[in-house]
Amino acid sequence: MRAARLIKMVLLLQSRPSMTAAELASELEVSERTVTRDAQALSEAGVPVYADRGRAGGYRLVGGYRTRLTGLHRSEAEALFLSGVPEALREMGLEDAASAARLKVSAALLPSLRDASRTAAQRFHLDAPNWFREPQTPVLLPAVADAVWDDRRITARYRRGEDEVVRELEPYGLVLKAGVWYLCARVAGGGSFRVYRIDRFTAVDTGEERFEREPEFDLPAFWEERAEQFARSILRARVVVRLSPDGVRRLPYALDSLSARESLADADAPDDDGWVTVALPVESEEVAHAQLTALGPEVEVLAPESLRERFAGDALRLAGLYHPRDGV
């Protein structure tokens, strides 16, 4: 434990001109007294750590000293490619590996380039979850992530409706979609590839047996295909609407954007008032009611009649709420 901390201290000092005891203590998660002892131990071991006294003082390496302890472990190298998604790293338990990898890369750079990670972080940040929702990290995510990194088979128990199902899986990859974690896995024994929501797992047992990955498997391509299939599979109903020009513009933001744009592309030319009649695939009448309500008076439902009646009822209720007040 101490040896790893001493190496990290050297790499920190190698990547920056100097650091105060407080800064080192914060980075190393120890007390300033421990920093002092560690600096003395490094000096006794031949590492030229020099302490400047005074308010502007701190620790630095003398004479351009450079350590050769900058080789990346495999886990650090893999985590480095995910370093732009800090929340995902934390949730998968890879934050320490990514931190060590970034530090080693910084230590190996020329002095003029050592602030590259800081300047990049100031200019780009990925915030994956949707607005107005508090993402919940699945308890079993770190265990699943370990199996994905090590290519180890897992026995997973997960909720499917009101039942629980047990499957032996070969975990190929993880996907974070709008704050929700999914596992792309193949059923063990040469089965099909499937997608599982990790927050529905109730137990995961990682065995010692490794599986052989299919070299042609492409996680982004697989996810794109399955996501499109899923989006289309749930659009089982159909409604017909008239849209104003503003309704046409806002439709892709109210419904599934791909289906909305495809439907608009197949629509007839606008009428004399500029309104367009469109047939839309939707998940259900209930969902369509909630989605199309966002368009307000920019949409008129033509079919089915039951949905049109529902909007007519909404219009009457709104008229009652917004009738002119007495004296206004």
Side-chain angles (χ1 to χ4, degrees), residues 231-232 235 251 255-265 278-282:
R232 293 184 182 280
L235 302 179
L251 185 68
L255 278 68
D256 173 71
S257 60
L258 178 61
S259 297
R261 290 189 173 93
E262 289 180 349
S263 299
L264 288 171
V278 185
L280 298 171
V282 294

Side-chain angles (χ1 to χ4, degrees), residues 31-164:
S31 66
E32 292 185 32
R33 181 173 296 180
T34 299
V35 168
T36 301
R37 288 199 297 263
D38 286 352
Q40 183 177 352
L42 287 171
S43 181
E44 293 173 353
V47 178
V49 178
Y50 180 77
D52 291 315
R53 306 296 180 185
R55 292 182 59 185
Y59 292 92
R60 60 186 176 86
L61 293 175
V62 180
Y65 177 86
R66 299 183 65 80
T67 177
R68 296 179 181 274
L69 299 173
T70 53
L72 294 177
H73 298 299
R74 181 176 180 84
S75 62
E76 294 170 347
E78 291 170 336
L80 185 61
F81 287 99
L82 290 171
S83 58
V85 195
E87 278 296 327
L89 286 168
R90 278 193 289 273
E91 293 178 5
M92 288 190 291
L94 296 172
E95 187 177 18
D96 288 344
S99 176
R102 287 193 297 268
L103 187 57
K104 289 180 178 180
V105 170
S106 296
L109 293 173
L110 294 172
S112 60
L113 300 176
R114 286 178 188 162
D115 66 343
S117 61
R118 179 180 60 82
T119 55
Q122 290 174 339
R123 288 163 172 80
F124 177 77
H125 174 69
L126 175 63
D127 185 9
N130 276 332
W131 288 102
F132 312 121
R133 65 169 295 173
E134 188 68 28
Q136 299 293 326
T137 303
V139 175
L140 297 173
L141 176 61
V144 176
D146 285 344
V148 169
W149 289 118
D150 291 340
D151 294 339
R152 293 185 184 275
R153 287 186 176 182
I154 62 173
T155 301
R157 181 183 297 272
Y158 67 97
R159 296 187 303 274
R160 190 169 67 182
E162 297 181 356
D163 301 323
E164 283 198 350

